[in-house]
Amino acid sequence: MDNSSAANGKPLDFIRQIIADDLQTGKHQKIVTRFPPEPNGYLHIGHAKSICLNFGVAEEFNGLCNLRFDDTNPSREEITYVNSIQEDVRWLGFEWTEQVRFASDYFPQLYDFAVRLIELGKAYVCQLSPEEIRQYRGTLTEPGQNSPYRERGIAENLALFEQMRQGELAEGSHVLRAKIDMASANLNLRDPVLYRILKVAHHRTGQSWQIYPMYDYTHCLSDMLEGITHSLCTLEFEDHRPLYDWVLATLQTPCHPRQIEFARLNLSYTVMSKRKLLKMVTGSHVDGWDDPRMLTISGLRRRGYTPAAIRSFCRNIGIGKSDSRIDMAVLENEVRADLNLKAERRMCVLEPLKLVIDNYPEGRQEQVMAKNHPQNEEMGERPITFSKELYIERDDFMELPGKRYHRLAPGREVRLRYGYLVRCVSVDKDPASGVVNTVHCTYDPDTRGGSAPDGRKVKGTIHWVSATDAVPVTIRLFDRLFSVADPEEDKSLDFLDHLNPASKVVLTGALAEPSLLEPPDFPLQFERQGYFFADPEESRPGQPVFNRTVTLKDSWEGKQ
Ligand code: ATP
Ligand code: MG
């Protein structure tokens, strides 16, 4: 491709510009990126940004992208996460180069590099306790103090490090530290810990290791071993970059990837950290990692989001260098735009009210044709049954309507979508409660299909189902999981205090067209109600459960 401009004609973001320049100048012939999740939770929409960036630039610049599990913390990691992460990356539409990689595959090499650092006099075994290490580190305004173990001889360090590895020393008693500069303005360079003793089994290496390398040490070397050219990470690693570079420079590695930081994605009305998401799962505040209200990839998938919508969202928010919070409405607009094109239309009445057409012949039924998509003829049409008894949406009728109400009311005429024009003539009420339970109408037989031969106008068109064949379906309506835009802002409160108690509403009395009894595996629009997706976990044949993916319009602002 022409590296001076993006494929879509938009100017390149600063990372793509760097990559384009590196290819132009011949610094690299082929670029290699990686997506490096820690397998300690499910991926969320923030990870999607990183996935779309790493796999995206590899695709655009004809390069490669690895999937590497950063599995250096055995106590928090699980194989289920490893599997779900791969599923999510694939679902988003990306495929990694060759086999999946694991940082743990490099444990032997990382150990050898640590030995090399000791031999170079650049690492030492330290016996300060974790608490003492913290004290000796100093603060942002005060330099740190050298550890009393800093000047230990190379041979002794090598022997102790070997003992650490053999499991001869107690957890927490010794660590291996880089020997850099305890007075550095960057705290990350004040002799950071490279290895700690952890007598914990690892999900891949089992009991073979008693010591585990720290993230910063592991990451740069793993990148180097894989020949990564551009190591893209989020801004919080900016202060770690000098350490990344120090390790590679000190070891004089044959390749030295360039770390470049970009701003993480923050979204309003949600939290993004896996630690917090885990807390919501373990505390049963949601129904699992893939709860459709969760902003995890698996939750979004279950809710009916499409990979195309998520990719488009990531593309459109762009890549920048300053942290910001994206409004949830931006994400919702993306899925709306995609589903508007893709979703077949159906009719479903969420809160039914019976409508009887008094002048329609008893026992008669007719088939009317309904379009599966109003603009796309190729999506075809389907027959639906029209009959004397129908159900309409309870809020499509009002006994005492205001001026701007254009739906059904006593004496008013509306169009039944794809059916006839009907006029309300009377209502039946529940004797005890006084609530309207049946609306009586007359229909105009000359208006089949919805238009009147005399050209008279009706303002309202409402959806309906026939009492003769409508089927019961369960509907779940979702609202934002949190009731404030930034649940983490007020540090005096727990983020869980801001959970929205009404984030899930289950409707069990909804009635739909009969074909929906078999849960479809494609997205739908229920006319006038939003986009819906049959829950793949909880739907059963004959008992569909529909999740509302998103409403038709952004109604959130109006609700507040
Ligand atoms: P969390 O804070 O949610 O636990 P993490 O950064 O610890 O996230 P990792 O598994 O280490 O999660 O992340 C894998 C990659 O995804 C990293 O490169 C990380 O920078 C990136 N990433 C994580 N969260 C976001 C986000 N909100 N926006 C963009 N990239 C992200
Ligand atoms: Mg992490």
Side-chain angles (χ1 to χ4, degrees):
M1 70 179 267
D2 170 9
N3 287 340
S4 61
S5 68
N8 59 10
K10 279 212 250 170
L12 297 181
D13 59 61
F14 79 102
I15 290 182
R16 286 175 167 87
Q17 191 61 58
I18 291 172
I19 290 174
D21 292 346
D22 286 349
L23 288 167
Q24 188 95 58
T25 61
K27 180 176 178 193
H28 298 293
Q29 305 307 315
K30 201 176 188 69
I31 64 143
V32 189
T33 57
R34 85 289 168 265
F35 173 63
E38 187 183 343
N40 62 350
Y42 281 59
L43 296 182
H44 51 62
I45 184 79
H47 293 111
K49 176 174 179 179
S50 176
I51 292 169
C52 290
L53 176 64
N54 279 293
F55 285 94
V57 296
E59 255 171 39
E60 291 157 36
F61 291 93
N62 228 335
L64 306 171
C65 181
N66 294 347
L67 173 63
R68 181 203 315 143
F69 287 100
D70 205 332
D71 55 350
T72 51
N73 200 341
S75 42
R76 291 195 310 217
E77 292 157 7
E78 282 180 32
I79 194 76
T80 48
Y81 298 139
V82 169
N83 295 333
S84 76
I85 289 170
Q86 293 182 60
E87 185 186 353
D88 289 351
V89 172
R90 286 209 166 105
W91 179 77
L92 280 173
F94 297 108
E95 189 62 52
W96 45 91
T97 307
E98 297 162 0
Q99 78 287 9
V100 176
R101 292 146 212 262
F102 293 86
S104 55
D105 290 344
Y106 309 133
F107 282 170
Q109 282 131 299
L110 296 178
Y111 181 82
D112 292 345
F113 282 121
V115 168
R116 181 85 194 112
L117 284 176
I118 296 174
E119 288 168 351
L120 290 167
K122 298 291 185 187
Y124 62 98
V125 174
C126 180
Q127 276 156 263
L128 291 178
S129 68
E131 182 48 36
E132 288 166 325
I133 290 182
R134 219 166 299 133
Q135 283 163 9
Y136 276 66
R137 187 176 292 133
T139 64
L140 282 173
T141 49
E142 280 169 43
Q145 260 176 282
N146 283 353
S147 158
Y149 305 99
R150 200 172 198 260
E151 299 309 325
R152 227 198 266 277
I154 290 174
E156 194 186 346
N157 276 319
L158 287 173
L160 278 170
F161 189 47
E162 179 61 19
Q163 276 182 283
M164 281 172 66
R165 170 195 174 138
Q166 297 296 342
E168 290 164 19
L169 303 173
E171 223 170 89
S173 66
H174 296 67
V175 290
L176 183 74
R177 298 177 69 176
K179 197 181 203 178
I180 311 180
D181 178 6
M182 290 306 291
S184 171
N186 184 334
L187 293 176
N188 293 305
L189 294 182
R190 294 188 186 172
D191 291 9
V193 173
L194 305 179
Y195 268 91
R196 73 256 199 240
I197 301 169
L198 274 184
K199 306 207 169 186
V200 181
H202 185 280
H203 70 102
R204 299 194 76 238
T205 59
Q207 308 278 354
S208 22
W209 292 89
Q210 313 273 330
I211 52 171
Y212 289 94
M214 301 300 286
Y215 174 84
D216 281 334
Y217 174 73
T218 309
H219 199 76
C220 54
L221 288 169
S222 305
D223 281 350
M224 184 278 293
L225 289 167
E226 291 178 11
I228 301 300
T229 54
H230 300 83
S231 179
L232 314 178
C233 62
T234 35
L235 284 176
E236 70 272 22
F237 291 102
E238 192 168 10
D239 288 347
H240 298 241
R241 180 164 18 103
L243 178 54
Y244 185 104
D245 289 334
W246 181 89
V247 172
L248 298 181
T250 307
L251 288 166
Q252 297 187 313
T253 53
C255 119
H256 190 138
R258 173 166 177 193
Q259 175 178 311
I260 309 172
E261 307 86 17
F262 64 94
R264 347 170 41 87
L265 168 65
N266 299 302
L267 259 188
S268 62
Y269 298 97
T270 191
V271 293
M272 207 72 95
S273 119
K274 281 182 284 186
R275 201 171 46 79
K276 290 189 173 148
L277 297 177
L278 179 64
K279 222 171 152 182
M280 286 162 56
V281 173
T282 51
S284 298
H285 301 289
V286 291
D287 309 320
W289 282 99
D290 63 350
D291 184 304
R293 291 167 294 176
M294 292 275 266
L295 271 285
T296 51
I297 306 293
S298 50
L300 291 167
R301 173 166 64 231
R302 214 174 139 180
R303 182 157 171 163
Y305 270 71
T306 56
I310 297 174
R311 287 201 308 265
S312 172
F313 170 73
C314 292
R315 189 163 51 242
N316 288 335
I317 57 174
I319 298 293
K321 273 192 188 189
S322 51
D323 273 318
S324 64
R325 181 168 290 274
I326 307 279
D327 199 300
M328 185 77 91
V330 176
L331 179 62
E332 291 171 344
N333 279 333
E334 291 285 356
V335 74
R336 224 175 251 132
D338 192 44
L339 291 178
N340 182 35
L341 299 176
K342 292 179 180 160
E344 290 199 8
R345 276 50 171 173
R346 295 289 186 273
M347 294 207 279
C348 176
V349 174
L350 304 193
E351 295 185 71
L353 172 65
K354 189 180 252 187
L355 183 151
V356 177
I357 304 174
D358 292 344
N359 63 341
Y360 194 87
E362 200 76 49
R364 176 161 156 200
Q365 288 185 23
E366 56 187 302
Q367 304 290 307
V368 296
M369 294 309 286
K371 288 181 179 168
N372 290 334
H373 195 285
Q375 283 92 37
N376 186 349
E377 301 266 316
E378 281 175 17
M379 288 169 84
E381 46 181 23
R382 65 193 188 283
I384 46 180
T385 308
F386 190 87
S387 67
K388 186 178 177 72
E389 290 195 6
L390 310 172
Y391 286 98
I392 61 167
E393 210 68 64
R394 181 161 282 280
D395 69 8
D396 280 339
F397 173 79
M398 232 178 167
E399 208 177 359
L400 298 168
K403 261 210 164 119
R404 304 233 303 268
Y405 189 85
H406 298 307
R407 292 169 272 166
L408 202 55
R412 297 256 186 103
E413 190 171 44
V414 294
R415 176 182 297 106
L416 294 174
R417 180 95 161 134
Y418 300 118
Y420 291 90
L421 301 187
V422 294
R423 185 181 301 279
C424 173
V425 290
S426 65
V427 296
D428 296 341
K429 292 184 181 177
D430 179 271
S433 65
V435 173
V436 173
N437 58 24
T438 306
V439 176
H440 289 272
C441 290
T442 54
Y443 86 119
D444 177 347
D446 292 334
T447 59
R448 192 174 202 269
S451 54
D454 63 3
R456 73 179 185 275
K457 296 267 181 288
V458 291
K459 281 206 170 135
T461 300
I462 64 175
H463 63 280
W464 51 276
V465 290
S466 168
T468 54
D469 63 4
V471 294
V473 297
T474 300
I475 298 283
R476 302 197 298 198
L477 305 177
F478 301 113
D479 201 342
R480 304 201 171 163
L481 208 37
F482 292 91
S483 46
V484 294
D486 182 0
E488 290 153 306
E489 191 178 28
D490 184 346
K491 302 284 180 237
S492 67
L493 290 174
D494 190 289
F495 73 101
L496 293 170
D497 295 340
H498 297 296
L499 278 170
N500 172 7
S503 61
K504 176 164 102 177
V505 171
V506 181
L507 304 177
T508 51
L511 292 169
E513 293 180 29
S515 68
L516 297 179
L517 207 51
E518 286 317 306
D521 60 0
F522 47 87
L524 295 171
Q525 184 196 97
F526 289 162
E527 296 211 14
R528 302 177 59 233
Q529 295 294 1
Y531 295 98
F532 288 80
F533 187 60
D535 191 294
E537 303 295 322
E538 290 176 42
S539 293
R540 299 278 169 269
Q543 289 175 302
V545 176
F546 286 98
N547 295 326
R548 180 157 68 190
T549 312
V550 70
T551 53
L552 291 182
K553 291 198 197 89
D554 182 3
S555 57
W556 174 258
E557 294 306 329
K559 273 203 301 191
Q560 284 184 315

